[in-house]
Amino acid sequence: MMDLVRTTKRRLMWFFAVLTMLFLLLFVVAAYLTVSQSVMKEKEDELMAMLSDKSLSRLIHEAEEPHEKPFNHNLFAIVGTSGNILEKQGDGIEAMIDGWTPNILETKEVDQDNREYLLAGKPVRGGGYVYSGVDVTEQKRVLNRLFMVLLILTILFTFAATLLSFIMAGKAIRPIIKSAERQRDFVNDASHELRTPLSILSAGFEILEEEKDRLSDFSRQTVDDLSGEVRRMSSLVNDLLVLARADSGKLVLEKKVLNLTNLVSRSVRSFSRIVEVDGISLTTDLKEEVYLKGDEDRLQQLLYLLLDNAHKYNVQDGHVHVSLKETGSEVILTVEDGGIGIAQEHQDKIFERFFRVDLSRSRTHGSNGIGLSIAAFIVEAHNGKVLLESKVGQGSCFTVVLPGLSNEY
Ligand code: ADP
């Protein structure tokens, strides 16, 4: 539960941060483009106005005679019909316009000697071209500086936004955490409260079982049904309690070095009586003596959960096989059944809380979708992992891999 809350908080934080960054970037690009376009447009318009001067075309034909320079601009040039420069102003203008035959009022930017120029040109009626240009180095420098400042601001604001998102996500998630904690405490308290009456009921049914012979057939059947229900409820309440304790971090494992082979054979022995009633065979492969460091009660619970499932989801006259071995630094426990199997699409969900493949089995099989989430918790708390291989109609194999004594990872 807390993992889910933490993941949601992290997702919310990144969502806020990425969204803010995107908005900032969009703003920076839009601001830069608007400013740079309006600065350059102003320069372009200036050049265009000059080149549109009607008297210019005459100049080409009068260029041999002395006259005043037509522009106040840094650069200009008049090229005659034969391609010769008739009039010019500004160093390097020849190189800038060399080979450039502009269409009407075309512009281009030129880099020359570490300076940047904006040129405009147009053909003149009767032949030849006129060119005009301005030095825009300063404007470009200011625009570059503006871009750098905006970029640095974006980075700074992104950091600030990430921090703010972290705080905001924390605030947004707080009511959910509170409600989850209240729910967990409620489950914890309710399970505790229910344990006592359930134990009294179980004890009562045990006494009635001893007196079974004196009961009528109907009463005997009722006692059997009711004691079955009480057993089911007790196991559910215990499971809920384990989950609530695990969530609140109150479930402390008491790890010690233990003989897992003994534990498995003991559990299998007591379980075989239950499965045999349904004609299911239970075989083992426990040749090796395997030791590990773990919590005996929890490991026994893990085995019961897997065996219980192998029984519940088996078929008439099916089989269950349990094996235990040590390979290198790992202890490998498998519980395999020839039961109904689990479809591929459900395999990664079955360890989630309250997930059940077939909801209609919940009443008949005492299925509540908690068992495997507890199993996964126990395995994780022992720094191990559970693997599943299953095929519908063929059965399932749960493999628990735990660190051996030589490898306490
Ligand atoms: P429960 O068995 O109480 O429903 P679990 O968490 O133990 O809860 O199992 C979740 C679901 O996974 C079960 O409802 C069942 O659909 C499926 N499942 C678990 N073990 C097996 C198995 N050995 N064979 C087939 N299905 C299984």
Side-chain angles (χ1 to χ4, degrees):
M1 186 69 185
M2 283 305 149
D3 281 353
L4 185 69
V5 169
R6 262 194 292 274
T7 319
T8 313
K9 187 176 166 184
R10 208 177 317 126
R11 278 198 193 145
L12 263 179
M13 187 191 92
W14 283 119
F15 179 73
F16 284 145
V18 169
L19 211 67
T20 320
M21 199 172 73
L22 282 181
F23 273 125
L24 277 171
L25 274 178
L26 214 68
F27 169 75
V28 165
V29 171
Y32 177 76
L33 285 180
T34 314
V35 174
S36 75
Q37 267 174 11
S38 72
V39 168
M40 297 311 278
K41 184 87 176 47
E42 198 182 308
K43 289 287 166 196
E44 257 178 56
D45 286 350
E46 234 174 80
L47 291 177
M48 294 301 178
M50 290 297 178
L51 292 182
S52 301
D53 188 341
K54 291 223 167 40
S55 59
L56 267 176
S57 36
R58 263 187 294 115
L59 280 172
I60 292 186
H61 309 293
E62 294 164 4
E64 283 92 301
E65 289 154 40
H67 56 270
E68 285 203 358
K69 290 189 167 74
F71 308 135
N72 274 337
H73 283 83
N74 315 7
L75 306 160
F76 87 93
I78 301 172
V79 175
T81 39
S82 52
N84 52 325
I85 295 181
L86 303 175
E87 191 76 55
K88 69 166 184 125
Q89 177 178 296
D91 292 340
I93 179 79
E94 299 98 321
M96 289 185 219
I97 60 170
D98 188 30
W100 185 36
T101 50
N103 291 321
I104 297 172
L105 301 180
E106 194 182 326
T107 61
K108 75 167 182 174
E109 286 180 29
V110 181
D111 267 11
Q112 194 159 286
D113 303 331
N114 289 330
R115 299 201 70 80
E116 293 183 56
Y117 298 92
L118 179 67
L119 295 182
K122 72 164 195 175
V124 178
R125 207 179 304 137
Y129 292 93
V130 284
Y131 299 94
S132 163
V134 275
D135 186 340
V136 289
T137 313
E138 276 318 304
Q139 282 82 354
K140 286 277 176 187
R141 205 168 286 162
V142 170
L143 285 175
N144 282 346
R145 212 168 295 151
L146 174 74
F147 185 73
M148 286 314 287
V149 168
L150 286 174
L151 206 68
I152 290 169
L153 281 180
T154 307
I155 294 168
L156 286 180
F157 276 121
T158 305
F159 271 120
T162 311
L163 194 73
L164 205 70
S165 310
F166 184 72
I167 298 167
M168 297 287 279
K171 278 202 163 98
I173 214 93
R174 205 168 293 155
I176 302 172
I177 295 177
K178 281 250 171 309
S179 137
E181 280 172 355
R182 269 199 294 273
Q183 201 177 323
R184 186 193 62 207
D185 291 345
F186 169 75
V187 172
N188 196 8
D189 296 346
S191 313
H192 257 302
E193 293 299 320
L194 284 170
R195 257 151 66 116
T196 318
L198 281 171
S199 319
I200 297 169
L201 275 175
S202 291
F205 280 118
E206 268 169 35
I207 296 167
L208 278 178
E209 300 248 329
E210 284 165 19
E211 306 284 314
K212 248 180 180 176
D213 300 342
R214 288 202 268 144
L215 300 176
S216 66
D217 282 351
F218 175 74
S219 305
R220 206 177 303 141
Q221 185 60 47
T222 312
V223 167
D224 279 349
D225 291 349
L226 286 178
S227 74
E229 286 300 311
V230 168
R231 253 200 312 277
R232 210 166 69 77
M233 262 183 82
S234 303
S235 113
L236 173 62
V237 163
N238 278 334
D239 286 352
L240 284 174
L241 199 61
V242 171
L243 279 186
R245 281 188 184 158
D247 280 350
S248 60
K250 283 183 195 152
L251 194 78
V252 186
L253 298 197
E254 287 171 23
K255 290 188 188 175
K256 57 176 198 254
V257 175
L258 56 95
N259 184 330
L260 190 63
T261 315
N262 280 352
L263 188 144
V264 174
S265 54
R266 241 186 297 127
S267 312
V268 168
R269 211 176 309 126
S270 54
F271 209 82
S272 59
R273 279 181 227 118
I274 304 170
V275 294
E276 272 160 18
V277 175
D278 292 329
I280 294 170
S281 63
L282 181 51
T283 54
T284 55
D285 181 3
L286 310 171
K287 286 191 277 299
E288 294 174 43
E289 288 272 294
V290 176
Y291 288 85
L292 58 60
K293 194 169 176 198
D295 183 313
E296 190 164 358
D297 291 343
R298 294 295 150 226
L299 288 173
Q300 184 155 39
Q301 187 179 14
L302 166 70
L303 202 65
Y304 271 130
L305 289 167
L306 295 178
L307 286 171
D308 187 41
N309 280 350
H311 173 214
K312 276 194 293 192
Y313 305 107
N314 220 310
V315 288
Q316 189 66 40
D317 300 325
H319 74 270
V320 178
H321 182 71
V322 180
S323 77
L324 179 67
K325 61 180 175 188
E326 193 164 12
T327 54
S329 53
E330 288 175 335
V331 171
I332 298 174
L333 168 75
T334 60
V335 177
E336 195 178 347
D337 66 66
I340 58 171
I342 304 163
Q344 188 69 40
E345 75 256 32
H346 295 133
Q347 288 185 12
D348 51 348
K349 296 199 198 107
I350 57 165
F351 293 98
E352 288 171 14
R353 264 175 222 192
F354 306 113
F355 179 83
R356 283 164 291 164
V357 174
D358 182 359
L359 296 180
S360 62
R361 280 179 165 248
S362 52
R363 283 295 309 162
T364 46
H365 285 72
S367 160
N368 47 45
I370 297 180
L372 284 180
S373 56
I374 294 179
F377 165 78
I378 295 172
V379 175
E380 243 171 64
H382 282 85
N383 302 319
K385 58 188 178 205
V386 199
L387 310 169
L388 167 66
E389 268 177 81
S390 186
K391 273 210 171 111
V392 174
Q394 290 185 22
S396 311
C397 179
F398 286 86
T399 305
V400 177
V401 183
L402 297 169
L405 273 187
S406 61
N407 180 24
E408 263 295 301
Y409 55 83

